[in-house]
Amino acid sequence: MQRCWRYVLLFLFISLFFYHSGACQPGCPQIYYDLTIKEGDWQTFYVNITIARPPHNRVVFVMPSWSPGGYMLGEYSKYVRHVQAKDADGKQLTTLQVNPSAWEVSLPTAKTMCFSYELKVSPRGFMGRSLTETYARINGPSTYMYLKGAKEKPVTVTFHLPTGWKIAIGLEEFKLPNSYWAPNYDIFVDAPALLGKFKQFQFDVAGVPHIVTITGETDFDQQKFVETVKRIVTYETQQLFNDIPYSKYVFMFNIYPGERGGGGLEHLNSTTIGLAGEKLKVDPTSGANVTAHEFFHLWNVKRIRPKVLGPFDYTKDVRTTALWFCEGVTCYYADLTCLRTGIWSVEKFWQNQAKQIAQHQEAYDRLQTSVEMASWKIWETGYGSAGVSFYTKGQILALLLDLQIREVTDNRRSLDDVIRFLNCWFAKYDEGYEERDLLRAVNSITNSDFSQFFDRYVSGTVEIPYADFLQHAGLKLHLESKKVPDIGRLVIMGPKNRVFNVEKGSPVDEVGIKRGDYLLSIDGQTVSSREDIARVVNSKEEGQSVAIEILRGDNKLNFVVPVRLKDKVNCRIDQVARPTEKQQRIYQGLIAGTTD
Ligand SMILES: [Zn+2]
């Protein structure tokens, strides 16, 4: 009861703030979150949502079913415990769970109400929550329920933490201790929080602060690591976009022991990235590509976004055919950023483009599944499937579009102009684009018609004539394939080798290994990467088998997986011996990020 009155007083203050800031009209609900971590209780988060002026005499609180950026449904509500609601006098309000993710509260007379629940930690990487004696990580959508019908209203959040804990979050500070605010629920939950004791660095670019937090392993050259992050930020904001659309940006790095990283997840004003400690020890720039990728996303997918990707529907899958642009173009610009900042050599850049082509040529369904269809079906196929990948083919299409745009405009325009155009005409108006707007943008920039390119390679499944595009920059392609031993693709992630995807119809699928299993060993050897698995399999011949040990729940299972032969594609991109003057201009323009 005492607690709820405290919030009523806080509301007077908060209401005045929003009223004067123009964010809210008198009479609209005020939404105030508290997240508490209790010293010594490292299993539970306590969440309280206080609503002033609830809109109806019945209100519904909903736990999202997915997190933007990770296109898969999660059972976030299964970690919820002890749901209850009270009015300002501390009187219990009737609360009914109306479906697995929603709770309805009856409010006969309440002017202010407090809705609270406990949340257990959940081990789902970026989509979950972790809590240790040292720090906690919070992913917004899997932590905070929303008031149905009020997602567009401003919210504040206050963290109540063990003594000495700090906060890193990409939201603006509110005028109360440990408090932040967001203009709506989407922006609020798009800001993961790192709470606790961690290393923190800061640098400014064009007067805007960038915060770099590091948790986990720290035995590497952190100064050089942070300098690398700054080079990436400087290139993308000052040269590529000439735009800093945020007042603060937070990089949250978690460094794992060993050779395995954990990928990254993009957010509006922050990112969470997992890197491999052993690799950083050898090369402090080894996390540059994923950092450049997640940072580029603050434009492409967050602000330059398909219409369905914001405002979000958190209750069901939200589909778009444009993920090839959101992810593939982002992969291409991550590589270009590494190249144009000198973090990567020119050779490494072309090797990586060649690698994408080789991978795409190995996709078993490349002549049946378009990159648009692969985008649409991600909710079923999951990441890392052996079929067409919108990351891989999307990146190839970005390179080919860049070359074709430079060719038809005599190197006066490039793909850089297209993304800047989209930034000006969609992101700056906070408008999502329709899928067909991408073709329109390319056509406007080039004054040409690219519909054949989109029909064939984006919507269609025509075999890509790589050489026709590469020759614009005086480049040639060498493609060859040979038979190699194979058991099918087994995608593993995280320090415990969680099986993230299993290639359909392949030997690993046929013996019964499933997504969600944990890979313990292959032929008695512990492995930690795709390369490790390949090493074991490559030592076999057709007709032999490998023994795979799996942990499923509490059970150890042993599988004998037969080895088959599969085509392995190798690809190399070289410069022609005597490029023409135009080919040289296009090549140099692409490398340097310039046009004529
Ligand atoms: Zn991405």
Side-chain angles (χ1 to χ4, degrees):
M1 186 162 92
Q2 200 180 23
R3 192 177 171 86
C4 226
W5 272 112
R6 188 170 72 78
Y7 297 130
V8 173
L9 291 173
L10 281 174
F11 267 120
L12 291 172
F13 178 78
I14 292 164
S15 302
L16 277 170
F17 171 80
F18 282 123
Y19 184 60
H20 287 294
S21 70
C24 192
Q25 297 303 309
C28 83
Q30 302 285 338
I31 303 168
Y32 187 88
Y33 290 78
D34 281 87
L35 185 130
T36 303
I37 295 170
K38 296 179 182 171
E39 182 89 50
D41 180 356
W42 310 122
Q43 286 298 314
T44 311
F45 296 90
Y46 298 85
V47 181
N48 194 89
I49 311 174
T50 310
I51 312 285
R53 295 192 294 275
H56 310 290
N57 57 5
R58 272 174 208 281
V59 293
V60 176
F61 292 88
V62 183
M63 182 58 110
S65 296
W66 68 288
S67 298
Y71 304 97
M72 51 192 167
L73 294 172
E75 296 172 299
Y76 297 162
S77 56
K78 84 175 185 193
Y79 299 96
V80 174
R81 306 275 187 281
H82 299 120
V83 176
Q84 56 174 328
K86 292 178 180 175
D87 67 12
D89 298 323
K91 210 175 99 199
Q92 288 280 352
L93 299 169
T94 307
T95 305
L96 183 69
Q97 185 169 8
V98 289
N99 69 45
S101 297
W103 285 260
E104 185 184 83
V105 181
S106 303
L107 313 157
T109 55
K111 292 269 191 305
T112 297
M113 62 160 298
C114 301
F115 178 82
S116 61
Y117 53 95
E118 295 175 15
L119 264 179
K120 293 293 163 194
V121 295
S122 103
R124 290 181 56 90
F126 297 123
M127 314 304 170
R129 296 163 302 282
S130 57
L131 178 55
T132 69
E133 291 178 22
T134 324
Y135 59 82
R137 271 168 211 297
I138 309 277
N139 169 52
S142 60
T143 302
Y144 303 113
M145 294 194 203
Y146 60 85
L147 175 62
K148 193 175 174 183
K151 288 210 303 284
E152 75 285 5
K153 305 295 182 198
V155 299
T156 58
V157 60
T158 297
F159 297 104
H160 307 271
L161 303 173
T163 315
W165 280 33
K166 294 184 291 187
I167 300 168
I169 191 168
L171 292 178
E172 286 186 33
E173 284 183 30
F174 190 64
K175 299 172 181 178
L176 291 169
N178 291 351
S179 300
Y180 300 83
W181 84 279
N184 57 50
Y185 177 83
D186 279 357
I187 292 178
F188 168 47
V189 294
D190 201 11
L194 174 64
L195 312 165
K197 296 168 183 167
F198 46 83
K199 284 209 96 165
Q200 183 168 316
F201 300 84
Q202 183 177 329
F203 59 83
D204 288 4
V205 171
V208 176
H210 295 75
I211 290 150
V212 176
T213 66
I214 298 176
T215 50
E217 302 292 300
T218 53
D219 182 19
F220 59 95
D221 186 344
Q222 296 179 26
Q223 217 55 48
K224 179 133 194 243
F225 176 79
V226 176
E227 271 167 32
T228 305
V229 177
K230 186 175 180 182
R231 280 159 78 184
I232 290 164
V233 170
T234 305
Y235 172 71
E236 292 190 10
T237 60
Q238 304 303 290
Q239 284 173 263
L240 187 56
F241 281 100
N242 196 18
D243 179 32
I244 300 195
Y246 49 83
S247 57
K248 167 177 84 171
Y249 190 92
V250 184
F251 292 91
M252 300 176 197
F253 291 102
N254 189 34
I255 316 299
Y256 297 107
E259 297 277 345
R260 287 277 294 288
L265 187 61
E266 67 275 9
H267 299 282
L268 199 63
N269 301 319
S270 57
T271 178
T272 44
I273 296 175
L275 297 175
E278 282 304 312
K279 288 186 181 163
L280 284 174
K281 229 190 257 184
V282 177
D283 175 9
T285 71
S286 62
N289 195 253
V290 63
T291 305
H293 178 109
E294 302 306 338
F295 190 68
F296 187 85
H297 267 318
L298 80 88
W299 291 279
N300 194 25
V301 93
K302 283 296 160 192
R303 289 173 173 85
I304 303 169
R305 62 174 191 271
K307 265 206 163 74
V308 294
L309 296 185
F312 291 101
D313 182 341
Y314 296 93
T315 62
K316 61 178 175 58
D317 50 342
V318 169
R319 292 177 189 241
T320 168
T321 56
L323 293 181
W324 72 273
F325 193 88
C326 303
E327 290 297 346
V329 170
T330 301
C331 291
Y332 179 59
Y333 275 95
D335 287 9
L336 283 178
T337 299
C338 289
L339 171 72
R340 291 172 182 171
T341 50
I343 296 168
W344 277 14
S345 65
V346 174
E347 292 71 33
K348 184 163 180 179
F349 173 80
W350 289 116
Q351 275 165 13
N352 204 43
Q353 308 320 301
K355 188 173 152 192
Q356 307 309 315
I357 292 174
Q359 275 180 13
H360 178 61
Q361 290 305 111
E362 285 177 9
Y364 66 89
D365 60 344
R366 72 177 196 285
L367 300 178
Q368 289 87 41
T369 303
S370 72
V371 77
E372 284 190 338
M373 194 46 69
S375 301
W376 188 261
K377 288 166 68 176
I378 181 64
W379 293 85
E380 285 106 59
T381 53
Y383 290 90
S385 99
V388 166
S389 156
F390 53 76
Y391 285 85
T392 307
K393 189 177 178 187
Q395 175 166 356
I396 295 167
L397 294 183
L399 168 67
L400 303 188
L401 263 177
D402 202 3
L403 290 167
Q404 188 69 13
I405 291 168
R406 287 175 186 272
E407 169 68 17
V408 301
T409 62
D410 194 27
N411 204 38
R412 288 193 171 80
R413 291 279 185 271
S414 72
L415 191 61
D416 302 5
D417 294 300
V418 175
I419 55 161
R420 286 191 284 257
F421 177 92
L422 292 167
N423 194 39
C424 283
W425 289 101
F426 291 95
K428 292 299 171 195
Y429 292 96
D430 196 19
E431 281 273 328
Y433 59 77
E434 303 280 0
E435 276 78 342
R436 63 177 179 274
D437 290 326
L438 297 174
L439 170 61
R440 286 181 180 160
V442 177
N443 287 349
S444 308
I445 287 297
T446 56
N447 235 342
S448 302
D449 184 5
F450 272 67
S451 43
Q452 201 179 59
F453 182 99
F454 277 70
D455 286 347
R456 286 184 174 175
Y457 314 121
V458 178
S459 314
T461 56
V462 175
E463 188 82 281
I464 301 172
Y466 302 104
D468 293 356
F469 295 96
L470 290 170
Q471 53 123 355
H472 299 328
L475 296 164
K476 59 183 180 189
L477 182 79
H478 304 268
L479 261 183
E480 57 183 27
S481 73
K482 60 175 184 183
K483 300 273 183 204
V484 294
D486 179 65
I487 55 170
R489 191 182 292 191
L490 194 60
V491 182
I492 50 174
M493 287 192 83
K496 291 183 183 166
N497 286 346
R498 184 166 176 270
V499 175
F500 203 65
N501 217 329
V502 179
E503 180 181 341
K504 275 210 178 72
S506 70
V508 275
D509 180 37
E510 280 166 3
V511 298
I513 296 172
K514 290 183 173 25
R515 189 174 169 172
D517 288 345
Y518 290 89
L519 174 61
L520 298 177
S521 69
I522 294 189
D523 269 4
Q525 300 180 39
T526 52
V527 291
S528 63
S529 67
R530 201 153 119 185
E531 289 72 28
D532 288 351
I533 298 174
R535 245 191 308 279
V536 176
V537 175
N538 284 340
S539 68
K540 302 283 177 175
E541 287 175 13
E542 188 183 15
Q544 292 186 317
S545 59
V546 292
I548 294 190
E549 193 182 13
I550 287 287
L551 183 67
R552 184 178 296 163
D554 294 330
N555 301 322
K556 276 189 184 172
L557 305 173
N558 290 294
F559 295 93
V560 177
V561 186
V563 173
R564 65 179 182 186
L565 287 181
K566 188 193 167 191
D567 280 330
K568 168 89 184 142
V569 179
N570 279 313
C571 177
R572 204 177 74 238
I573 296 173
D574 289 330
Q575 281 184 279
V576 297
R578 285 199 194 80
T580 64
E581 182 270 341
K582 183 179 177 185
Q583 285 173 329
Q584 287 182 47
R585 282 192 288 117
I586 289 179
Y587 181 85
Q588 292 304 335
L590 190 148
I591 300 290
T594 54
T595 47
D596 295 328

